Amino acid sequence: SSLTEITIPPSVTTIGDYSFFECSSLIQISIPPSVTTIGDYSFYGCSSLTEISFPKTLNQIGEHAFDGIQNLKNVEI
């Protein structure tokens, strides 16, 4: 519940369903180019998330993956 920032290692190719579901303290996420899929509800309810950086290699974002994010200020694609 106190996780505020995530740096996903380059060995990760998929962020699974419900991975960070309702992690409301999460502020920032950096997704490496190795990630091609973000699963359903992965970041659902991460209401404090303000920054997301998506790689060009991303092919699929699951259903409701980013629902419930209210403070998003910066998205990089």
Side-chain angles (χ1 to χ4, degrees):
S1 62
S2 61
L3 183 65
T4 59
E5 185 177 332
I6 301 168
T7 301
I8 297 172
S11 58
V12 174
T13 59
T14 299
I15 298 173
D17 297 349
Y18 297 91
S19 294
F20 301 99
F21 183 83
E22 292 190 355
C23 186
S24 60
S25 61
L26 184 62
I27 296 170
Q28 182 179 11
I29 175 121
S30 178
I31 302 170
S34 58
V35 172
T36 59
T37 304
I38 296 175
D40 298 343
Y41 297 89
S42 294
F43 297 96
Y44 180 95
C46 294
S47 57
S48 297
L49 194 61
T50 60
E51 289 187 42
I52 304 172
S53 177
F54 295 109
K56 293 178 184 179
T57 55
L58 189 62
N59 293 326
Q60 181 179 359
I61 297 176
E63 291 185 30
H64 307 285
F66 295 96
D67 280 3
I69 297 175
Q70 304 162 345
N71 297 308
L72 193 60
K73 295 177 184 170
N74 188 28
V75 176
E76 289 184 34
I77 300 174

